[in-house]
């Protein structure tokens, strides 16, 4: 197997490979039968705090709207002890949107954590790997070329599923194009950039040909939005995401040498490369499911794992914490877009407004060190 | 440091090599002329060489059919061909320069945020002032491109990461996604700018008149002059900053001239045609393959190749989906992305 450059490149670029910021902690191991893990109080504490914060923002987000509901009522209703009016507004009208935000945020965060860990490069997020553009191209194709008629036949459920398929297809295409006696993180990123460009060109061409009303609809698809979510609309994403998270949880346990590099992993046996492939596939599917539900919300997959890593003081992006930061970021941005801004904007605009400067900050700080 | 493209420029070059390069340059000029002629003839209505000749040079004629041909040639084909040549040269030279300055084989003016800077400016002024004529907003596109280019360059040259391949790509990507989302935010709130944006964004050399082409050409000419003065310095800079300084290069001055040249070239071309990615990257690699690493040769080759490739892509776009058209920018991306992937796959950037 070729020496993996990915671990070196980001360092040269000024961005550190995951983890050199923090000292690897020496922590006591715990063994319960076949399952063994390392007891890290800081990581567990941060994760619990993040979970609490996510739940709080989730409830606040549900409470905000044309018919404001106080936080205590929201929490009471969620646990099944609310009044009937509140219950209708919350469970039928607001919950799907908040749930979509939660799912998409968690999916993007975990997906980013996996790809960044495997490529050992903070750049390797689903945004860069072309998955989001592939999904968008398919969605825009359905919205525009079919002139709205097929879009009517393909109901919103079908559109999400189609976008999911597009994202998955593009992700696999990038993976196979980048495969050359192994996967090199740097090559994966560059191939991803080029495939993204093709998908972007196709999308732009579709937009030129389309009717202006369809374009406005498609444009929302190009930036990521949580508007008009219903339980039907998020059903595909819901089951996909939950299923995938279970798979990731089962598999990730077996992949301790994720951040040790290809050589070490190879030396530890074939099982690890198989586990790695499964994880990467899950990452692609998670990202595709997220895009299917909300469009290509930019930067969440890139930013969340990096933030989680710093909060948790952990050498690689921690999975659970990354997912929670992703959810926090997405629901928080959506809340900001709805409640704090004068015009209502798609959530993707807000995450980009946060993510772009964050990326630049990472870059400048790493360079000045 | 340490990129595959950093090779020592041949000291002067042998007489044979020199002759071969001159012949190569002449060949490219001939190909460009032929392609330009084809571009005049091909389109929704195909014209014979005689008809093109007539449309270009004949006196006004009472014959209605000939007047019609003259109209097509004068108002559609000639502006389009001229713009493709001018922008192609600008993007080709810009791509070669940017690779030279950043010592970065994956550098491309599209990566610098130049495109999205221009898009953002166009959308904003259309939404705010309600401009509808390209002649009005082309200046703002230029301004947006210039500002974004300078900001990305500036961010990428802070501190230790300066001159590193991924730093520039990363800074460019950050600014690009950020500005793209801001652009969408504006475009979604204003249908006129959304409509203008989608046509402009696909990247096309069609539909722009000489009222836009002349000023754009003036900027590009200024950029080319700046570029030519700095070519010897790029050769020395590629030996490393310390060596270049030792050989008497004013590094700061030459970088500033370079940034100005790149911004003028890419900004003007983007303002007129919309974003066309990968062209500069692609032709710079082909030019390097043809001439070797000497930028005094590489840059003119890249310019001519840029014009040829853009013309060919525009012609292909006119032919493949008749009676409709595929925008040149889309064809360039469909051609350029696999080219780029091929370079990556062959491991060209491994030690980048």
């Amino acid at each position: 197997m070729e020496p993996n450059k990915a671990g070196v490149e980001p360092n040269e670029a000024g961005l550190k490979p995951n983890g050199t910021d923090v000292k690897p902690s020496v922590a006591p191991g715990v063994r319960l039968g076949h399952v063994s893990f390392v007891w890290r109080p800081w990581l567990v504490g941060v994760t619990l705090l993040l979970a609490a914060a996510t739940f709080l923002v989730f409830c606040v987000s549900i409470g905000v709207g044309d018919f404001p509901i106080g936080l205590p009522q929201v929490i009471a209703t969620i646990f099944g002890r609310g009044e009937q009016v509140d219950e209708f507004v919350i469970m039928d009208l607001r919950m799907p949107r908040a749930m979509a935000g939660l799912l998409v945020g968690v999916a993007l965060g975990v997906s980013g954590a996996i790809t960044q860990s495997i490529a050992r490069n903070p750049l390797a997020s689903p945004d860069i790997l072309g998955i989001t553009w592939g999904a968008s191209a398919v969605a825009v194709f359905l919205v525009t070329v079919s002139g709205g008629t097929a879009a009517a036949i393909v109901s919103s459920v079908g559109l999400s599923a189609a976008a999911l398929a597009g994202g998955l297809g593009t992700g696999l295409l990038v993976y196979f194009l980048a495969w050359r006696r192994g996967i090199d993180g740097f090559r994966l990123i560059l191939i991803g950039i080029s495939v993204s460009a093709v998908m972007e060109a196709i999308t732009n061409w579709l937009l030129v040909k389309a009717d202006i009303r369809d374009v406005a609809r498609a444009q929302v698809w190009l930036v990521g939005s949580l508007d008009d979510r219903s339980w039907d609309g998020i059903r595909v994403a819901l089951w996909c995401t939950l299923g995938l998270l279970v798979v990731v949880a089962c598999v990730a346990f077996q992949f301790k040498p994720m951040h040790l590099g290809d050589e070490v992993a190879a030396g530890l046996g074939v099982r690890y490369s198989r586990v790695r492939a499964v994880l990467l596939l899950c990452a692609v599917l998670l990202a595709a499911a997220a895009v299917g539900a909300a469009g290509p919300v930019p930067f969440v997959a890139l930013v969340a794992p990096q933030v989680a890593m710093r909060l948790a003081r952990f050498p690689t992006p921690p999975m659970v914490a990354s997912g929670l930061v992703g959810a926090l970021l997405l629901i928080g941005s959506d809340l900001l877009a709805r409640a704090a801004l004068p015009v209502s904007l798609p959530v993707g605009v807000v995450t980009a407004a946060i993510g772009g400067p964050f990326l630049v900050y990472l870059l400048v700080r790493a360079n000045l060190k | 440091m340490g990129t595959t493209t950093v090779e020592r420029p041949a000291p002067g070059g042998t007489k044979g090599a020199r002759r071969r390069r001159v012949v190569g340059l002449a060949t490219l000029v001939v190909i460009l002329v032929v392609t330009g002629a084809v571009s005049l003839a091909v389109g929704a209505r195909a014209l014979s060489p005689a008809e093109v000749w007539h449309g270009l040079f004949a006196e006004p004629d009472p014959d209605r059919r000939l007047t019609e041909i003259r109209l097509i040639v004068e108002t559609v084909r000639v502006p389009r061909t001229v713009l493709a040549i001018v922008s192609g040269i600008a993007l080709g030279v810009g791509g070669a320069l940017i690779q030279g300055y950043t010592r970065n084989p994956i550098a491309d003016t599209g990566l610098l945020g130049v495109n999205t800077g221009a898009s953002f400016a166009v959308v904003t002024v259309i939404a705010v002032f309600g401009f509808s004529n390209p002649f009005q907003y082309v200046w703002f596109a230029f301004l947006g491109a210039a500002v974004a280019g300078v900001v990305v360059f500036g961010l990428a040259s802070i501190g230790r990461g300066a001159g590193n391949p991924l730093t520039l790509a990363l800074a460019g990507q950050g600014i690009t996604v950020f500005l793209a989302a801001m652009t969408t935010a504006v475009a979604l709130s204003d249908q006129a700018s959304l409509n203008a944006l989608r046509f402009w964004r696909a990247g096309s050399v069609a539909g722009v008149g000489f009222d836009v082409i002349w000023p754009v050409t003036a900027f590009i000419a200024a950029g080319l002059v700046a570029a030519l003065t700095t070519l010897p310095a790029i050769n020395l800079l590629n030996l490393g900053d310390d060596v270049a300084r030792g050989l008497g290069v004013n590094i700061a001055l030459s970088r500033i001239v370079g940034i100005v040249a790149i911004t003028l070239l890419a900004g003007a071309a983007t303002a007129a045609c919309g974003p066309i990615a990968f062209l500069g990257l692609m032709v710079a690699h082909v030019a390097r393959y043809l001439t070797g690493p000497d930028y005094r040769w590489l840059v003119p080759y890249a310019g001519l190749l840029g014009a040829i490739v853009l013309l060919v892509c525009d012609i292909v776009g006119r032919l493949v989906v008749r009676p409709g058209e595929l925008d040149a920018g889309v064809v360039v991306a469909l051609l350029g992305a696999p080219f780029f992937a091929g370079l990556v796959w062959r491991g060209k950037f491994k030690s980048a």
Side-chain angles (χ1 to χ4, degrees):
Chain A
M1 195 167 292
E2 292 171 339
N4 188 327
K5 290 278 177 189
V8 185
E9 297 307 332
N11 211 354
E12 286 180 355
L15 265 188
K16 291 170 172 291
N18 298 332
T20 40
D21 259 4
V22 241
K23 286 188 210 106
S25 51
V26 181
V30 177
R31 178 171 285 276
L32 296 169
H34 288 293
V35 182
S36 68
F37 57 92
V38 179
W39 174 244
R40 292 187 182 86
W42 181 269
L43 176 63
V44 173
V46 166
T47 307
L48 288 177
L49 269 179
L50 282 171
T54 307
F55 180 70
L56 197 68
V57 176
F58 182 81
C59 293
V60 170
S61 166
I62 287 178
V64 169
D66 290 336
F67 177 69
I69 301 172
L71 194 55
Q73 286 97 306
V74 173
I75 295 176
T77 312
I78 288 177
F79 289 107
R81 285 199 298 272
E83 291 164 31
Q84 212 149 25
V85 188
D86 290 349
E87 195 169 315
F88 170 72
V89 173
I90 289 172
M91 298 314 277
D92 289 354
L93 300 182
R94 305 236 177 116
M95 191 59 113
R97 183 191 187 109
M99 200 53 115
L102 184 72
L103 282 174
V104 170
V106 169
L108 287 175
V110 172
S111 174
I114 294 173
T115 49
Q116 291 182 4
S117 299
I118 287 178
R120 284 177 296 140
N121 189 325
L123 254 181
S125 76
D127 306 319
I128 308 280
L129 294 183
I131 294 161
T132 49
W133 266 114
S136 308
V138 173
V140 171
F141 176 79
L142 284 180
V143 172
T144 59
V145 163
S146 48
T149 44
I153 301 165
V154 182
S155 65
S156 67
V157 182
L159 193 63
S160 300
L164 196 152
L168 177 63
T170 317
L172 292 179
L173 180 70
V174 169
Y175 189 82
F176 286 120
L177 284 178
W179 178 270
R180 191 189 177 204
R181 281 174 291 149
I183 281 292
D184 169 309
F186 193 49
R187 194 166 55 229
L188 193 67
I189 293 170
L190 291 176
I191 295 282
I193 289 177
S194 68
V195 172
S196 295
V198 173
M199 293 299 164
E200 193 182 341
I202 292 172
T203 310
N204 283 337
W205 180 53
L206 290 172
L207 289 179
V208 170
K209 285 176 53 104
D211 185 86
I212 183 73
R213 281 161 304 193
D214 291 335
V215 172
R217 251 165 33 99
Q219 193 73 24
V220 176
W221 257 101
L222 292 177
V223 68
S225 162
L226 291 174
D227 292 342
D228 302 327
R229 293 304 118 170
S230 64
W231 283 115
D232 284 342
I234 64 166
R235 194 171 293 138
V236 176
L238 182 72
W239 294 116
C240 281
T241 309
L242 290 180
L244 286 164
L245 287 177
V246 171
V247 175
V248 169
C250 295
V251 174
F253 254 105
Q254 306 178 31
F255 202 62
K256 303 240 170 58
M258 191 138 73
H259 53 282
L260 296 178
D262 279 0
E263 290 90 344
V264 178
L268 288 170
V270 186
R271 198 161 62 97
Y272 286 108
S273 63
R274 213 177 291 155
V275 170
R276 188 178 56 177
V278 171
L279 274 180
L280 208 52
L281 184 67
C282 286
V284 169
L285 281 167
L286 278 172
V291 178
V297 187
F299 278 127
V300 175
L302 189 144
V303 169
Q306 294 294 312
V307 171
M309 205 171 86
R310 281 166 177 72
L311 286 178
R313 300 191 199 158
F314 202 61
T316 56
M319 298 265 177
V320 181
S322 300
L324 290 171
V325 173
L328 207 53
L329 198 61
L330 199 72
I331 303 174
S333 300
D334 185 47
L335 192 60
L336 197 67
R338 278 187 299 148
L341 298 178
V343 284
S344 179
L345 287 174
V347 62
V349 173
V350 181
T351 61
I354 298 169
F358 180 80
L359 182 61
V360 169
Y361 153 79
L362 278 183
L363 199 68
V364 170
R365 213 191 60 143
N367 277 355
L368 288 179
K369 238 178 201 166
Chain B
M1 273 250 310
T3 69
T4 43
T5 53
V6 179
E7 288 163 53
R8 208 153 53 85
T14 62
K15 219 171 181 180
R18 197 184 159 79
R19 188 184 303 139
R20 212 174 54 232
R21 285 166 172 171
V22 174
V23 171
L25 213 55
T27 313
L28 286 183
V29 172
V30 172
I31 296 177
L32 179 58
V33 171
V34 172
T35 325
V38 174
S39 166
L40 291 176
V42 170
R45 171 165 184 180
L47 301 177
S48 72
E51 287 172 322
V52 171
W53 186 263
H54 171 88
L56 282 177
F57 301 113
E59 293 298 313
D61 199 294
D63 182 348
R64 247 190 67 218
R65 199 182 68 86
L66 291 180
T67 316
E68 195 183 302
I69 287 168
R70 201 182 155 79
L71 199 69
I72 294 176
V73 172
E74 264 180 8
T75 60
V76 180
R77 301 282 168 80
V78 171
R80 174 172 205 164
T81 305
V82 169
L83 184 61
I85 292 173
V86 170
S87 307
I89 290 175
L91 291 170
V93 171
L97 281 187
I98 213 167
Q99 294 193 0
Y101 271 103
T102 59
R103 281 177 244 157
N104 179 354
I106 57 169
D108 180 68
T109 46
L111 277 178
L112 273 187
V114 168
N115 295 343
T116 36
S119 314
F120 179 63
V122 166
V123 169
T124 308
V125 293
I126 291 175
V128 174
F129 300 116
F131 290 162
S132 54
N133 183 345
F135 188 64
Q136 293 170 305
Y137 58 70
V138 72
W139 308 109
F140 292 93
F142 186 65
L143 192 69
V147 171
V150 169
V151 167
V152 171
F153 239 124
L155 283 172
S157 53
I158 295 172
R160 262 187 334 115
N164 193 287
L166 271 185
T167 309
L168 192 76
L170 206 54
Q173 195 72 24
I175 296 292
T176 298
V177 178
F178 175 66
L179 284 178
M182 295 304 112
T183 307
T184 306
V186 177
L188 280 181
S189 59
D190 184 90
Q191 199 166 65
S193 46
L194 175 59
N195 202 20
L197 175 70
R198 65 182 177 130
F199 287 108
W200 186 79
R201 189 165 56 185
S204 170
V205 293
V208 177
F210 274 104
D211 55 342
V212 171
I213 293 175
W214 289 132
V216 163
T217 308
F219 277 113
I220 289 175
L224 285 179
V225 171
L228 291 180
T229 62
T230 180
L231 294 187
I234 302 184
N235 277 343
L236 297 177
L237 281 173
N238 270 317
L239 301 176
D241 282 3
D242 294 334
V243 178
R245 198 176 290 119
L247 290 168
V249 175
N250 183 340
I251 291 182
L253 178 70
S254 112
R255 279 202 202 282
I256 290 172
V257 174
I259 293 172
V260 170
I262 291 165
T263 315
L264 281 171
L265 293 169
T270 307
C273 311
I276 294 180
F278 283 119
L279 182 65
L281 180 129
M282 201 166 33
V283 298
H285 278 278
V286 177
R288 187 174 293 110
Y289 173 76
L290 291 175
T291 66
D294 185 346
Y295 276 83
R296 287 168 303 177
W297 289 100
L298 197 160
V299 166
Y301 267 67
L304 288 173
L305 283 168
I308 293 169
V309 172
L310 191 53
L311 267 177
V312 169
C313 285
D314 186 38
I315 295 169
V316 169
R318 282 181 241 170
L319 295 179
V320 285
V321 289
R322 301 182 74 160
E325 282 191 7
L326 204 54
D327 298 277
V330 176
V331 183
V332 172
L334 291 179
L335 185 74
F339 179 90
F340 180 77
L343 285 175
V344 174
W345 206 80
R346 285 174 55 201
K348 285 284 179 197
F349 305 142
K350 275 203 68 73
S351 55

